[in-house]
Amino acid sequence: MPATKPAKVLDKDQQMGSALRSVYQKTVDETIPDDLLDLLGKLD
């Protein structure tokens, strides 16, 4: 059994990691709607 992954598998892993980072960053950058901020403010 080889100790390292084949290049094809590593490439797929890198593509998946890149896609996940992209989706995460878009989510972080998304603005929070004012009505949701108002609701959160009422929790205090």
Side-chain angles (χ1 to χ4, degrees), residues 18-40:
S18 179
L20 289 170
R21 281 188 295 278
S22 176
V23 169
Y24 174 79
Q25 193 59 51
K26 287 177 185 177
T27 302
V28 168
D29 292 341
E30 198 171 291
T31 58
I32 301 172
D34 290 335
D35 55 343
L36 182 55
L37 289 174
D38 290 341
L39 285 173
L40 290 172

